[in-house]
Structures are given as C-alpha cells and as structure tokens.
Amino acid sequence: MDTDVAALRTLSDTGDFTDTLRVRASVGLRTFVAGALGWAPGWLRFLYWTRGVFARMLRTAHPVVRPGSGGMRPEDVPFTPGRRIGFFSVVEGVEDHHLLLAASDSHLAAYLAIVADGDDRYRMVTVIRYLHWTGRLYFLVIRPFHWLVVRGMARAGARGRWNT
C-alpha cells in the first residue's frame, strides 16, 4: 500500500515540531480513528480543562476543547474536507488509507494524521506550527503530556473501542 501522504509531507517539512507514533492494530482505519478520537478518560478531560486555564493566562484565543468524539461510531468518521471531528477539521482523507486533521488557535496550528500503512500498522503523526511566540511557550508547557495523550489515543484506537 502506498503510504505517502503529500499534504503530510509538506506539513512535516514546514512544521516546528513533528512526532510520529507507530502502532499495530487489527482493526480498520474507521474503527481506529473512532477509538482514538473517542478516547476520553477523566484525567485527559482534566488536562484539557487545565489547558484552557493556561491558554487564558497567555491571553490566547482558544476553542473549548473537550476530548472524545461523543461516541462517534466508525461509520460516522468523515473523510470529506471541512467536516468536523470534535475540535478537529478534516483536511484530507482517503478511505482505508489516511485521515489528516487540523485544529488551530491564535497561537499555534496542530495537525494529526492517522495513516494506515498496511499489514495492521498505523502511524499517528503530529505536526505543530507556531503562529505566535505564545505558541512556542504554550507547547513547551504541554509537550511533556503530548506523548501520553497520543499513546493513549493509539491504544484506544488499536482496541477498536469508540465509546470509552
């Protein structure tokens, strides 16, 4: 399977931070995405609440972020550009291949790609672009939690659970 995603390559080349997590999962892309984006344990909800407080302290515009996709089912995962999944917007999607999502605040833009690499392998790629000096400071503070969050999302996606 061709694993090249041109838009992701462009973002990675111009991003300020790029991170990739590889995971094995014997579920389809839709199920993986629904599980990953629907994952919302209590500590993660608290972390996003704390993020909102910190963003207000920096006086940055920020959307209210509530992790979890509201129990989205795999068949409800959109691949159409402009459609929403939680606080993300779909940038690009190809059924059974990849889904590229974006979320933007006044201080940074974040991109998440979930790519099916075949043979039950997935890549979760995060790209961050700083839009203002506060974006760099903001991400410096939240970066230690980034790996925990993405790893938890990957595990939930691999389990194929979308109502957790």
Side-chain angles (χ1 to χ4, degrees):
M1 177 181 285
D2 175 25
T3 60
D4 184 42
V5 179
L8 178 58
R9 188 176 60 244
T10 300
L11 287 171
S12 295
D13 289 346
T14 60
D16 296 301
F17 171 85
T18 302
D19 164 269
T20 301
L21 174 67
R22 296 178 192 282
V23 63
R24 293 186 69 98
S26 55
V27 298
L29 179 60
R30 285 179 172 275
T31 300
F32 187 90
V33 169
L37 296 180
W39 180 70
W43 68 265
L44 181 63
R45 291 189 302 271
F46 175 76
L47 196 61
Y48 274 94
W49 176 83
T50 304
R51 168 225 176 261
V53 171
F54 180 58
R56 281 190 296 281
M57 287 173 37
L58 289 176
R59 293 193 171 117
T60 59
H62 62 283
V64 174
V65 176
R66 291 184 182 95
S69 61
M72 178 176 53
R73 297 175 311 219
E75 58 270 20
D76 296 331
V77 172
F79 285 81
T80 306
R83 295 280 310 274
R84 306 278 303 171
I85 300 178
F87 57 87
F88 286 108
S89 292
V90 175
V91 174
E92 176 181 302
V94 175
E95 187 79 33
D96 296 324
H97 186 260
H98 74 274
L99 186 61
L100 177 58
L101 306 168
S104 187
D105 291 339
S106 62
H107 57 292
L108 63 76
Y111 300 88
L112 174 65
I114 301 175
V115 182
D117 284 330
D119 297 325
D120 295 335
R121 295 176 192 263
Y122 289 90
R123 269 183 297 149
M124 292 183 67
V125 182
T126 305
V127 178
I128 304 294
R129 283 187 181 161
Y130 305 129
L131 304 176
H132 188 265
W133 70 266
T134 54
R136 185 176 303 278
L137 175 61
Y138 169 82
F139 194 67
L140 179 69
V141 171
I142 70 163
R143 186 174 174 181
F145 304 101
H146 169 75
W147 183 250
L148 289 172
V149 172
V150 174
R151 191 170 59 203
M153 291 171 65
R155 286 182 180 151
R159 285 192 309 265
R161 292 190 185 158
W162 57 88
N163 287 323
T164 58

